[in-house]
Amino acid sequence: MVTLDEAKDIATTRGWLNMTSEAFRRAILARVALQSFQLGESIYSVNDPPGGMYGLVAGSVKVSMAPGDDGPFIGHIMTPGSWSGYGPTIAGCNRIIGLTAGRNCQVLFLPLHAINEILTRDPIGWRYLAGLALIDTQIALGAMEDLMIRDEFRRFLAVLLRSGGYRNGAKDIAKDMQPVWVDVNQTDLANMCNLSRTTTGVFLRRLEAEGQVRIGYGQIGIFAPAALRAKLASDR
């Protein structure tokens, strides 16, 4: 677990907030509070009333959505440096996604009234919110691209890599980097891949036998991201 000062350092050096001006960052960090959530605890749910923004600084968060009649379904895994919850500020709407702790996690919470205060004092902040919306749009487009892959195994690889933060240039892949554990079970991963759980299990066991992933309880360890990226590219 991290302290408030450590959390602010993480938020400043990773992700969206690192792309904003120093004055805007100071205004944000002066108004945030550090909150903790336990594994499986809801941070907010689809259709919850408007509220503030959350910046993940430790652990992971599952993003759920229910755009149609079905759901909610897990669609993405947030990693430290990610922010969410700006929709009510922009549109005054209820929550259109839900956030659930993928493991014990900590977030920086910025209340809605604090966001509005910052934007009133510094209208350039709207551009930074638009930048955050662009980041999320790129993630959504990447997810759509992954799901349009016709080959089931390649689609599975693409979604697994994205869940670990290894798609679309999200991380510099190094052969000797530490393993990453993705907080997703096989059922949720199957839904994210638009595959059956049986097929997803077959693919996971194949990769586990090759030493590239490890199947844990409610987690999947990615132990060879560079090899998986190469496999995804070579199977085209």
Side-chain angles (χ1 to χ4, degrees):
M1 307 299 279
V2 300
T3 66
L4 179 58
D5 286 341
E6 290 170 337
K8 290 181 178 181
D9 286 341
I10 292 170
T12 301
T13 56
R14 301 187 197 178
W16 166 67
L17 203 57
N18 184 47
M19 304 174 189
T20 65
S21 69
E22 182 178 351
F24 184 78
R25 289 196 298 271
R26 285 201 307 266
I28 294 287
L29 296 177
R31 293 166 172 81
V32 295
L34 184 62
Q35 297 183 351
S36 299
F37 293 88
Q38 300 299 307
L39 168 65
E41 187 175 358
S42 174
I43 299 173
Y44 61 77
S45 302
V46 176
N47 289 325
D48 274 359
M53 292 175 57
Y54 293 85
L56 180 63
V57 293
S60 72
V61 168
K62 298 180 180 180
V63 181
S64 60
M65 57 197 73
D69 296 330
D70 298 324
F73 301 111
I74 303 300
H76 187 64
I77 309 295
M78 289 173 57
T79 55
S82 303
W83 286 78
S84 186
Y86 54 85
T89 301
I90 295 175
C93 59
N94 288 348
R95 302 290 193 183
I96 62 173
I97 63 172
L99 303 182
T100 304
R103 67 175 77 172
N104 295 348
C105 69
Q106 291 176 282
V107 297
L108 291 176
F109 174 61
L110 181 66
L112 184 57
H113 68 82
I115 306 171
N116 291 331
E117 178 183 326
I118 293 170
L119 294 174
T120 298
R121 294 185 177 185
D122 185 9
I124 195 67
W126 286 106
R127 177 174 293 179
Y128 298 132
L129 281 189
L132 179 55
L134 179 59
I135 291 172
D136 283 351
T137 299
Q138 290 171 328
I139 292 173
L141 290 174
M144 291 173 59
E145 179 185 19
D146 291 344
L147 290 175
M148 292 175 70
I149 298 174
R150 293 186 178 183
D151 180 81
E152 290 185 341
F153 184 58
R154 288 191 62 243
R155 185 164 73 246
F156 160 81
L157 287 174
V159 173
L160 179 63
L161 286 165
R162 175 168 53 82
S163 299
Y166 296 116
R167 278 285 276 161
N168 304 317
K171 283 185 180 176
D172 182 22
I173 308 302
K175 293 182 184 296
D176 59 349
M177 72 182 308
Q178 294 297 312
V180 170
W181 284 95
V182 180
D183 297 307
V184 62
N185 59 39
Q186 294 187 45
T187 299
D188 286 338
L189 181 61
N191 288 333
M192 291 170 67
C193 298
N194 194 23
L195 295 171
S196 71
R197 190 184 187 284
T198 299
T199 299
T200 299
V202 169
F203 291 159
L204 283 171
R205 287 190 294 275
R206 180 198 303 179
L207 295 179
E208 187 173 46
E210 296 173 356
Q212 296 177 342
V213 307
R214 187 174 298 171
I215 304 171
Y217 181 75
Q219 293 181 313
I220 298 168
I222 300 177
F223 280 66
L228 294 178
R229 286 272 294 248
K231 191 183 294 290
L232 173 61
S234 64
D235 284 344
R236 288 177 180 171

